[in-house]
Each structure stands twice: as C-alpha cells, then as structure tokens.
Amino acid sequence: MAVPAILLLALVAAVLLWSGTRYWRVLRPLASAAPEHRSDHPGTRLRGVVTEVGGHTRLFEVPYSGTLHALIFGGFVVLLTALVEEAGRLVAPGFSLDAIGGSTWIALLQDVFEVAVLVGVCMAAYNRWARRPARFRGSNQRDAAVILALIFCEMVSLLLHDAFRIGQGGDAAAGWQPVASALARLIEVAGVHDAAAAPWAGAFFWAHVTALLVFLPYIATSKHLHIATAVPNLYFRNLGPRGALRPVDPGGPAVGVGEVDQLSWKQMLDLYACTECGRCQDACPAFAAGQPLSPKVLIMDVRNHLRDRGRSATRKAAGGAVPQLLGDVVRDETLWACTTCTACMEVCPLHIEHVPLIVDMRRRLVEEGRMEPPLQDALASLARHGNSFNRSERARSAWTRDLGFPVKDARTEPVDVLWFVGDYAAYDPRVQELTRGVARVLHRAGVDYGILYEAERNSGNDVRRVGEEGLFEQLARHNIETLGRCSFRRIMTADPHSLNALAQEYPGMGGRYPVLHYTQLLLELVERGALAPAPHPQVVTYHDPCYLGRYNQGYDAPRRLLERLGVTLHEMPRCREASFCCGAGGGRIWMDDSGQTERPSESRIREAVALGDAHRLVVACPKDMVMFTAAVQATGMAGRMEVVDVIELVEASLTPEEVAVAVA
Amino acid sequence: MPGILVYIEADPGGVAPVSFEVLGAARTLAPHLGGPVEALVAAADPDTLAAALGAADSVLTVTDPSLTPYLPEAHRAALEEAIRVRQPSVVLIGGTSAGIDLAAGAATATSRPLVAYCTALRVAGQEMEAESQLYGGKLVATTRTAPPAIFSLVAGCFPEAPGHAPGTAPRIALPPPAALQRLRTRLVGTGAAAAGTVDITKAERIVSVGRGIGAPGDIDLARDLATALGAELGASRPVVDSGWLPKERQVGKSGMTVKPRLYVAVGISGAPEHLEGMRGAGVIVAINTDPGAPIFQVATYGSTCDFGDLLPALSARLTAAG
Amino acid sequence: MRIAVIMKQVPDLVEDVEVDARGTAIDRDGVRWTVNEFDGHALEQAMLLKEAVGAEVTVLAVAAAGIDQVLFAALARGADRAIVVPTPEGRTDAPRVAAALAPALTEIGADLVLTGVQAADDLHGQLGPILAASLGWPHVSVVCGAELHGSAVVVQQEYSGGRTAALEVDLPAVLGVQAAGRPPRYVPISRLRQVIASATIGSHAPAAVVPAPATTVTRLAAPAQESLARMLEGSADDVARQIVEALHEHGLVGV
C-alpha cells in the first residue's frame, strides 16, 4: 500500500463514526417512541422471517421483481464474506477466510453471485427506466438510481479486483472463480499480467472499499435502509387478527397520532422498512379511483417527515415554520380517502401496517373535529339513534312486517342462532328485501333463530375505523350488554363489517362469541340436508367482501355454497385475497364520493362484465349490494350485469313444494 | 278598539307578495270582527307602496329615511308605535324574516299575546281561533285567544285575491317614533343571491332533492331525471346547508319561491319552510319512503318507493319515450 | 366580551310526536328530545366569535329532562360555563323562558345573546325577539354570520330569495341565529365523556312568577289527512310507468 495504513484506517474509522451518527439520528426516535407489545410467540415470528426473507413469498407475487431481488439479495448475503475479508485485511493485512473455504467454495459463490447481482441490477434498471411500471410513480427515482449505481460499482470493482488478483498469478482460488478467471485472461490479452496486475488489483480493492464507504452513510437516509430494518420489521409484524385495532390508551398523552413523536416504535420501524416498491399503491382502490391517497406515498411522506423535520433545510423550504404532520405533510383528504380494505397490507413484502397508521391519524382528526359534514351527520345519527340513517331505533325491525311469520325476540327467548342483522340490512330499502329472504330461508330450514329488534345498534366496526373511539366503545358496550342478557349458541350475520366487529373487536371489550357469516350457516344447512337446493346452472362471478375475505379468511364457504347450488363460478382476476374493494368501507359510504375519476365499484363492474360469460355478480355483503347496484346504473351495464345476493340464488333454488327438514 | 292592523312588508320589487295574502286574510276576517282594516306602511317614501293597497280601509304611513331599506329595529319601533296609537284588536303579520323580527318583539312590547305559524284564522265569538303548524308540520295546534292579539301568518295559506283591489285608501300619517332618532342598528351592506348560472324561479319543471337523498353522490340520480325531464335541479335547505348544491337552487322560505308546472320532490319531507316555496306548483310528484311525510299533503301524486330504484326507472322510461 | 347562548330541546322530529291524553299538549314523557338545531348553530357562532376575539361564552338553558346532556355537550364544544334555570311549572315556551332567564343574563353581564332563530314549538313566538324586547336591546333574526367589531356586531340577515343585508348592531344585542359561519363542529364522544366526568353545571335562582299565556290551546293533533296526493303503488317499474302516464295526461311529456 502506498498510503500509510494508519491513515487509511483512520479514514475508514472516521467514515464509520460519521455513518454511526447518521444512523443514530435516524433511529433515535424509536427509543423514545410509544410502546407496542410485539415480543410474543418468538418461534412463529422467526419462522415468518425465514419464509418471507428466505422464501421471498410475497416478493414472488410479481415474478420478475421477485427474481431480480432474489439475485441481488442472494448476492448481498454471499458477498458478506467479501466484506468480512476486506475488513479483516484492513486491520490485519494477511487476513483471509481460507480456513473455512475462502479460496474454494466461498470463492466460487462470490464469483457466481457477483454476476448474479449484476444481472439483477440490469433487470432492475430495465424495469424501472424502460418498462416503467405504474407502481413506481411517486417513488424516489434518484434514490433508486444511486442505489443501483453503487451496487453496480461494487460488483464491477469486486469482479475486476478478483480478475487482477488472479492475473498476478499463483492464486489459490483461481480455479474456483470461472468468471474472474475469464476476465483475467482478457486482461492478459490486453497485456496486463503478473506484477503489472498488482497495482490494479489494489486499485479495485480500494474502489470497492470506497464504494462501501460511500454507501454506508448513504443508506441511513435512503430506502436501502431496509437491509437493516426489514428483518426486525418482519419479526415484529402483527400476529394478532387484522380486524382488531389497537385501542386508544386512556392514560396516554393524546388521542391518535397528530405528530410523528406520537407514533409507536413499530410504526416508525414500518416507515424505515418501506422500499417504495408501490405494490400497495397498485392494489389501493382509492388510488385507482383518482383519490389523493397512495399508501406508498403516505408511508414515504411520514417517513421523510420523521427523518427530516428537524433539519434546517426542511424548515427553510416550509418558509421558516416546521411543517405539521396533519395538514402539511399528510392532507386530511388523503386520510379520509381510505376504505380500510387492507389490500395494501396484503401485498406488502415488508408487512407494513398502513391501515392502523391511517386510523391513528384519523383519531386525531376526529378529536379536532376535522371531518366533512356528511360524515359528521352520520356520526351524530349513530350517537343518537345507533344507526347512520337518522331513523328511529324502533324502525330497525320494520323489515319483519309482511314476512308472514313471527321472528323470535332473542332478548326474551333463548335461541340457537342469534342473528345480528346490521344497519344496512335493516334500514336500506334495497337490502330489506334480501333480509326478508334470509328470514324466509332460515324459517324453511327450521333454524331456531331470533333478532335483537330495537336493542341492536350499529356494530361500530366502521365507526372505529373512522377514528371515533368513544362512539365505538359506546355502541360496542351497548351491544355487548344486550348480548350478555341473551341466551344463544352462536351469532350469525349477513354483514361482514358486523362480523368483523363481533369476531375480532368485541373480544377485547369482554364480548367473546362464536360468530359465523350467513354463507357459512347456509352451507351448513345444505350439507346437513336442512335445505335441498335444486341445481340452477348459470355462470356467475363472485365478489369477495373485504371484511369477510381479507379480514376474516372467509373465502371458501361462499364458493362451496355456490358449488352446491349448481352454479358455475367464473372468477374475476382480482379475487380472494386480491379482491378489489367496492369503496364503501372505512366510513367512505358516509362521505361525499364526488371527485373520483372512476369509482372502485364501477371498475369492479367493468371487470365482471369483461369476463364475457358471467351476467350475474354474486355478493355477500349489504354494502356491496348497494354500491354495485348503483355502479351498474352508473356504467350503463343494466342489461349486461345483474347484482344478486347469495340468498337470492339460494331462495330461487328452493322449490315451493320442498319440505323443510327440522333442525334437531 | 275593533279593527285589524296589517303590517305591510316591502321588498325591492314593491309590496311583498305575502303582504297581499295577509291583507286578503284581514279582509276576510273584517266583516266578522268589525272595525277597519288598516295597512301600516313604514318607509322613506310610503306613497308608492300605499298606492297598491286599495284593499285596505286606510293606509297608515310612517315616513323616515331610516325605514328604507328594511331595518329590524326601525320597523319594530314603527309597528309598536302604530299599535299604541291605533289600538287595533287584531294585528296580522306575514311569517317572513321580517315577521320573525317584528311580531314577537312587538307583542312583548305592547303586552299582547302572539300566536305564530298560523295556517288558518277565524273569529269565534269573542275570541280568535287560529290553527298553527308546529313540529315541522307534524302537528296542528288549535288555539283561542281573546283580542287584542297579534297573529303571524304562514305564507301560501291564505287567499291573496281579496288583498288586491283597485283604488286608493285614505292615508293617515303617523309621526315617526322618537326611537328612530336613537337607532342602534345600521345597514352597512346588501347582497343579492350569489350571481349564479341558474334562476330556478323561471324553470317550468324542477326536480328537487331533500335530506332523504342520503349522500351527495345520489344527487346524480336526480340530475339524470332532471335531464330526462328537461328540468332544473332544486334543493331543500338541509341539502344546501351541507354544501351539496349551491344556494341559488334552494327552494323554500329562505330560498326561492317557485311556481313550475311540474315539481318532483325526492327525499323531501315537506317541512313548512320548504312547502312555502313550492306549494304553488302545478303538478307535484312526491317521492319519500315515509308515508307520513307532510309533503304528501300538498302533492298531486306520491310514492313511497325507494328513489334509488324509482329514479333510474323513471329516467329510463322518459328517455325511451323521447 | 361576554357572550350568552340560550339553548333548549325540542322533540326529535325523526320520530312521530305523540299528543297526551288531554289532546292539548305533547306527551312530554313519550317524546324523544334533541337539541334545537338552530341553537346548535347559535352555539357554534358563539364559539367562532370566541375564537376571533377571546370572549367568555356562557350557555344557559331552562331545566328540563335531559338538559344536562345538552349543556355538557356545549361545554365539550368549548363553552366556558353552563347554567340551568328552572321555570315555573317547567314551562318552556319562549315568553316564559325569556322571563326566567332575564335576571341570569343581567347577572352574567352578557354583552351579546345568541339563540336559535326559532324552534319547532314556538307557538307563542320566538325567544330572540321576545328577550330583546323585554331587555330593551336591539335584535336581528335569521342571522347567517356574525363578526364583532369593537362594541358592535356586524351580522348577515337573510331574506327570501337568497337576499342578504349586512347590519351593524350596537352591543348589547340579541341575535336569532339561523346558520353559523360554518357547520357546528363535531364533538368526539370521548371528549364529551371527559366533560361529563369533570365539569359542573351552575344554577340560578328561578325568576319571579310569570303569568301564563293568554292563548289557550284547545286542540293539538296531526293535520287532517286531506292527503291530496294520489299514492301510486307497485314496484319501482310500475310506479315509474304510472308517473309517466300521469305526466302524459297533464300534457307535461310527449307533447
């Protein structure tokens, strides 16, 4: 080495120290952040990390990107050996990993993966700048360019270092490094070999080290930080039910998140784990509808605010004042646009929790009264009457009139199945007929069921997702108290939102019940012979409701039921976990929906029509019925697509002369 | 003293239409009550307004610059003074913004009872019997009051014709009350309805939406129907207050009064304030899921169908019919 | 600057309003009460004025079942004090309320009194003008916006047809509010519960006896169902067909 070793070591040490301060500055907020308990089930957590990181399960949902990432990631892991070798050589010049195979299989792996990473980098560059997928829109392209360029430099410098090292002659690993050897021969042809190669080898060694020393501090404020944060973020992912939101800490400093210091450490880790891949943006129905929400951009904006808000440059850009999280960094409309469908969380390779973050910020907006009048009116109606329709509680059971038979009052009589009807099923005229259908079918099947009549209140599911915790608690407590006075074996509901509240949210408040969706009950009745539907062949397609599917894994019962009805199901491209939200969730059905380029429900109808042979869209959620019926009108598809509820298919398939088999 | 005092309201166009109604009501009551019908005109230049009041037996004028344009405090002072001086047995006022300003205050100041929101008024022996609409029109209160008393009348419930008569009634000039020199209210600006793009009072057909429409997105259904009918879109106050439609489309007491040939009311309950603005329409079709909604009392045709089903079906039929 | 807001409850018109056995008054026990919508706007306007000039806002109401909830909600919205005043025989018509509250208002030293422009049961007149007349203060009703300027308030008064006028009124004054500068803000249930747990409602001695109204209600009933409307029955399609036919008959379509 020409330059004194001590000086170089000092330089490296200085860079390391400086990098350390950058990492410290970025990660320090986690130390004083709000708590979150995620240390349970270490075994399960670890297994998940291995599957996601080792198996790249979610990454391979986009095969091209999964492949290129596997190549680069694999290289990163393998080339840690090179890092160790170099670090060792800096401190003790003769250091090598030969003892454990540094000149044999390790060398081979290094050689192969240096090329593999280059292939990955080229694939990545081609994807980003030639194919230009939409999900990258809004991502920091400059950051991506710098990262790919630095990785490229590292690989090239490594390969060339190896080539020149081999060119010196007498290299033990030469036989194990085909690519480097081939390069060495090329260089030899050019006239550089033996002693002449030595300085080049040294130069590329330092080129590689320099690239690393540039990369190291850079990573602290780059999305590449994910190489440090991904594994912890995956380890500390949410193992609990997705449908149970974290309650507000009554002793906490503030309700909801109004500034980044009110985030929990896990939420901050989420921000630093994001790689801006945009899969969430691609999946988001609000984004697709032209709303000002991209889950990716939201995470990026909050991350940038957490990371940079203290810096003078940020202050200067904002005209001297420190920007506020709510209002400046994240607009109110962005937060209100979310339907809480969790399509984003379903596809995120880092298991980032976008929706709970949005709900936490909504809680603060509610606290400050920052919501549009229609939403306010809905909440006021819910607080006064327990429903969002501004109708009397006494009108909740109006749908039972004209049934021709009485429906048991579960408040006063024991029942086998307590039917939690839900707001839309009880009050919306379009859905009331379906509710009567359910009553008729259950009656014919001899099911012992009852309803809560006026004592039922909105389950509070969407109230909680809007951020009105106090009102959610009020509604939930009322329902739990009412249920506590009833005698039943299990609860059934046709409303997936109520299902989620009853099954996932109420246990945290002391209400634990076996809950099933009506499709599950209907399937059970059919399988038991209590209902004998005649096959009614037709081609239909089926929409998985968000709160039944993604939230509660209810994909199979409706499909098996359709099978039993003799119906041919032609699946839409976006089905099961990838189902595309109708746009009503998260309180959106209570908000003004103008200003959208294409409503999610309309996009869904077009998707159904595009199948070609299906003329009926089967739904299993009252809000889906409401949204899709309107969308059929709005898209002018009234002659080509009909929206039918599962219960309509069931009822149509029961012959009038069928004798009901009493359920034991 | 027997006799009826009618407060005459002025708007930019002259005598306000509601005042002719009130004058008409006074004329109908006068034979049973005895005494003259005196119309009170308080203005900077009462003569122009007085010329239209041939139906009154006499026109009381209070002249002062502070009285035009309308100023609540000034007009209340003038009304109170007229009541004190003429001591009518019955005072009638139209139920407008001015009516709210003046009636109850004058009643308190002159120690007379007030019966508000009257839709009917008749003499019953020594007393006045009135019917007043309360609770958003859900209930009607029948009351008996011994004169002297004040009654404020709901616009659109009394015949206007008797209030129009040619000729001139004798003028009686009342001295302006001293209070007009010590006013604590001043006019500092006026505004017309926001100069918008539409004047629904000129529309031949109107499709109007109310709170029952539920969400602003559903207004599109009404809009489609309006297009199919060649109609203008109207709204009730709650819809405008929530910002779903602009103020210029508001029908009702504090909005526009319309008299189209066809008025389709969707999700409108028929609160009195709204009815005031449209009960003069030709054919009224009311769509509301509540069979007890007051709108059905003024409508020609009614349906409790859900508008989400009915409006598209209607639009489709009308478009197909061409 | 001291602002007083007077609020009251009215029957919730979402339900049917039942009449009592005598047929001359509503069944107060059976009725679902809700705060008068216009009083809610009056409170919101008071809060806007408070935010603009830093006034002290006191909310007053006459004693009635459930009135505490209304006052706590007002405190949760930002009012500084709440006072309840009983009326003789629990009467809540405007003349009685005005008489009951006048002493309390003078004691508070209110410079500006805001209340809703009207209420659903104002048979005997509206509170705003009655209170103003008995206090001898100027009054403007149908107010849709207000701003304080020194010792006067500038208000927007609204007339039919969307016409407005800006009036400057010297304080002290009474305003009948139809709409505040912006819709009443939302109070989260959690804040309301906090206020209920921590705040207290003051009270004031009842006023001297006030004579009963000179008007007697002889009957209170639903309007005679001379329902002119011909109700159309059937499915949406049937009704649509009938409507189009009717419009044809009237010469409104297909001409």
Side-chain angles (χ1 to χ4, degrees), chain A residues 302-619:
Chain A
V302 181
R303 175 200 66 197
N304 294 346
H305 183 63
L306 173 65
R307 196 177 61 196
D308 302 330
R309 72 187 159 137
R311 297 170 69 203
S312 54
T314 318
R315 227 186 295 247
K316 218 191 305 182
V322 178
Q324 301 292 303
L325 175 66
L326 290 184
D328 296 327
V329 176
V330 179
R331 284 156 51 201
D332 290 21
E333 309 89 83
T334 301
L335 295 172
W336 290 123
C338 179
T339 69
T340 69
C341 75
T342 67
C344 51
M345 292 165 57
E346 192 71 38
V347 296
C348 178
L350 282 310
H351 287 245
I352 292 171
E353 297 166 62
H354 313 72
V355 172
L357 175 65
I358 289 174
V359 172
D360 267 340
M361 287 194 274
R362 281 180 171 186
R363 285 172 177 171
R364 178 53 61 84
L365 292 182
V366 167
E367 199 52 26
E368 296 178 8
R370 284 154 72 165
M371 32 176 160
E372 55 182 83
L375 177 57
Q376 257 186 234
D377 290 343
L379 292 176
S381 172
L382 284 158
R384 270 200 70 70
H385 302 288
N387 66 77
S388 59
F389 292 81
N390 210 37
R391 304 268 308 278
S392 162
E393 299 90 285
R394 281 174 256 178
R396 194 174 271 276
S397 52
W399 66 268
T400 58
R401 293 198 274 268
D402 311 325
L403 260 183
F405 54 86
V407 175
K408 274 171 96 169
D409 187 341
R411 298 171 294 179
T412 53
E413 307 178 64
V415 294
D416 184 56
V417 173
L418 189 146
W419 178 11
F420 192 95
V421 181
D423 274 13
Y424 269 79
Y427 285 104
D428 188 299
R430 282 165 287 200
V431 189
Q432 280 173 339
E433 193 44 46
L434 302 173
T435 310
R436 277 190 280 267
V438 174
R440 285 191 296 263
V441 169
L442 294 181
H443 185 74
R444 283 171 72 149
V447 175
D448 175 22
Y449 70 94
I451 64 175
L452 292 171
Y453 284 88
E454 298 92 74
E456 188 183 301
R457 297 276 180 278
N458 184 295
S459 69
N461 188 64
D462 285 33
V463 171
R464 183 164 227 197
R465 272 135 191 86
V466 157
E468 231 293 28
E469 275 293 290
L471 180 56
F472 163 71
E473 276 172 39
Q474 183 174 295
L475 293 165
R477 266 199 225 115
H478 176 101
N479 282 327
I480 291 173
E481 269 166 31
T482 308
L483 290 168
R485 290 191 290 268
C486 299
S487 164
F488 55 90
R489 196 161 58 94
R490 46 199 182 149
I491 301 181
M492 179 275 288
T493 181
D495 173 27
H497 293 241
S498 302
L499 176 82
N500 186 66
L502 290 163
Q504 313 287 18
E505 302 275 30
Y506 283 18
M509 303 191 61
R512 215 166 282 273
Y513 326 96
V515 187
L516 69 165
H517 190 241
Y518 76 132
T519 51
Q520 290 171 279
L521 181 61
L522 290 171
L523 180 65
E524 192 188 292
L525 294 170
V526 168
E527 285 178 344
R528 217 174 355 175
L531 285 174
H536 207 130
Q538 53 190 299
V539 181
V540 305
T541 186
Y542 171 72
H543 169 84
D544 289 283
C546 303
Y547 278 91
L548 178 63
R550 272 188 294 269
Y551 270 92
N552 288 281
Q553 280 70 56
Y555 303 111
D556 295 318
R559 287 176 166 79
R560 286 181 12 228
L561 182 61
L562 288 176
E563 215 179 318
R564 287 304 204 112
L565 295 175
V567 141
T568 310
L569 174 57
H570 189 170
E571 299 269 20
M572 286 184 279
R574 296 179 292 191
C575 67
R576 300 181 71 102
E577 295 86 0
S579 181
F580 192 69
C581 179
C582 74
R588 292 284 324 153
I589 203 167
W590 299 324
M591 301 186 211
D592 179 7
D593 75 342
S594 54
Q596 296 185 53
T597 51
E598 186 196 33
R599 296 199 187 96
S601 51
E602 291 168 21
S603 163
R604 195 62 159 151
I605 291 296
R606 294 202 175 93
E607 186 179 355
V609 169
L611 291 172
D613 55 349
H615 296 288
R616 297 181 121 186
L617 171 63
V618 180
V619 296

Side-chain angles (χ1 to χ4, degrees), chain A residues 87-106:
Chain A
R89 252 178 241 147
L90 274 176
V91 176
F95 183 84
S96 84
L97 288 175
D98 287 352
I100 54 167
S103 306
T104 56
W105 61 275
I106 290 182

Side-chain angles (χ1 to χ4, degrees), chain B residues 48-300:
Chain B
T48 349
L49 297 164
L53 303 171
D57 294 317
S58 51
V59 175
L60 310 171
T61 61
V62 178
T63 313
D64 193 270
S66 65
L67 293 165
T68 303
Y70 170 77
L71 207 62
E73 196 188 358
H75 280 249
R76 221 193 77 202
L79 178 59
E80 279 167 29
E81 185 70 6
I83 295 174
R84 271 190 215 104
V85 168
R86 304 304 289 176
Q87 291 292 320
S89 123
V90 167
V91 179
L92 300 182
I93 309 180
T96 59
S97 296
I100 299 183
D101 273 341
L102 309 178
T108 309
T110 59
S111 304
R112 285 153 192 253
L114 164 70
V115 182
Y117 306 108
C118 297
T119 53
L121 192 58
R122 57 192 86 91
V123 180
Q126 299 300 310
E127 296 179 306
M128 298 296 296
E129 183 172 84
E131 277 171 32
S132 298
Q133 62 185 10
L134 303 173
Y135 305 107
K138 289 195 171 205
L139 293 176
V140 172
T142 314
T143 56
R144 291 237 172 171
T145 316
I150 304 184
F151 300 89
S152 91
L153 311 185
V154 175
C157 297
F158 296 86
E160 202 179 308
H164 291 284
T168 17
R171 313 280 161 87
I172 302 174
L174 299 178
L180 292 182
Q181 307 309 315
R182 306 186 295 263
L183 291 175
R184 292 159 290 174
T185 314
R186 290 163 291 283
L187 185 75
V188 294
T190 51
T197 50
V198 72
D199 180 2
I200 58 171
T201 60
K202 306 244 183 335
E204 286 251 296
R205 298 140 194 239
I206 297 177
V207 174
S208 218
V209 294
R211 202 180 239 150
I213 204 85
D218 285 334
I219 296 182
D220 284 340
L221 294 175
R223 213 173 258 124
D224 291 339
L225 178 60
T227 312
L229 277 172
E232 280 295 352
L233 202 56
S236 65
R237 185 183 59 82
V239 168
V240 171
D241 278 352
S242 292
W244 298 351
L245 283 174
K247 182 89 190 173
E248 66 209 14
R249 293 190 184 272
Q250 183 174 325
V251 174
K253 181 176 170 142
S254 53
M256 309 293 168
T257 303
V258 296
K259 280 187 163 60
R261 286 179 62 205
L262 173 63
Y263 189 86
V264 182
V266 185
I268 293 179
S269 64
E273 294 77 27
H274 185 79
L275 296 184
E276 258 183 63
M278 45 62 70
R279 68 191 324 142
V283 173
I284 301 174
V285 179
I287 303 169
N288 193 310
T289 50
D290 175 12
I295 189 86
F296 291 123
Q297 278 152 44
V298 298
T300 326

